[in-house]
């Protein structure tokens, strides 16, 4: 669980240290600006930016019932973030599995990618696609 939050926590710590340094130098406006920048970065890199994750078993069950794609992802992955931001509100029409919090999800990705944990891996109709183009993924939702 802590692994998922390490990068956002690191961003907050660096932001706080930078802000404290700016305050010590007599620049409160710069301190607030830096703190806000690092806070936004921490939120963007956190699991909060993604739809609520489900287990791999639950995603498979739901996908079989409604035909929606499954996205295997992990916090801090810039390609996952790219996919998430480009999907916009359509991201909520998919089932998201955080491979750092679900060992079965990580195993499914390793099986699909030949042994590594390359994410995002999107499964559409039982067929895995590693780091697909976000436009293609959005087209699969239609």
């Amino acid at each position: 669980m802590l692994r998922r939050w390490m990068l956002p926590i690191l961003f907050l710590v660096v932001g706080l240290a930078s802000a404290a340094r700016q305050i010590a130098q007599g620049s409160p406006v710069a301190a607030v600006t830096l703190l806000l920048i690092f806070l936004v970065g921490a939120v963007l890199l956190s699991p909060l930016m993604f739809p609520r994750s489900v287990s791999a078993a639950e995603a498979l069950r739901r996908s079989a019932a409604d035909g929606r794609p499954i996205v295997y992802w992990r916090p801090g992955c810039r390609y996952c973030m790219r996919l998430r931001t480009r999907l916009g509100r359509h991201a909520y029409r998919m089932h998201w599995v955080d491979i750092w919090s679900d060992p079965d999800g990580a195993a499914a990705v390793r099986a699909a990618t030949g042994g590594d944990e390359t994410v995002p891996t999107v499964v559409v109709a039982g067929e895995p696609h590693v780091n697909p183009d976000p436009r293609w993924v959005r087209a699969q939702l239609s």
Side-chain angles (χ1 to χ4, degrees), residues 83-105:
L83 177 64
R84 168 61 186 99
T85 56
R86 293 210 180 149
L87 287 175
R89 69 180 188 278
H90 300 292
Y92 291 94
R93 296 176 52 199
M94 304 172 77
H95 304 292
W96 292 76
V97 178
D98 178 358
I99 66 168
W100 278 2
S101 65
D102 184 21
D104 292 335

Side-chain angles (χ1 to χ4, degrees), residues 19-31:
R21 183 171 184 211
Q22 290 298 319
I23 288 173
Q25 292 176 351
S27 301
V29 175

Side-chain angles (χ1 to χ4, degrees), residues 52-63:
R52 186 175 187 158
S53 289
V54 297
S55 69
E58 180 65 16
L60 287 170
R61 186 190 67 73
R62 289 180 184 183
S63 182

Side-chain angles (χ1 to χ4, degrees), residues 2 4-16 42 45-46:
L2 182 61
R4 301 172 61 196
W5 290 96
M6 288 302 290
L7 196 54
I9 290 169
L10 179 64
F11 257 68
L12 282 178
V13 169
V14 170
L16 286 170
L45 292 172
S46 78

Side-chain angles (χ1 to χ4, degrees), residues 3 12 24 30 44 51 58-60 76-77 79 87 97 101-102 107 109 121 128 135 140:
R3 180 178 173 186
L12 282 178
L44 288 175
E58 180 65 16
L60 287 170
C77 168
Y79 300 107
L87 287 175
V97 178
S101 65
D102 184 21
V109 171
T121 297
R135 289 176 294 191
Q140 302 309 305

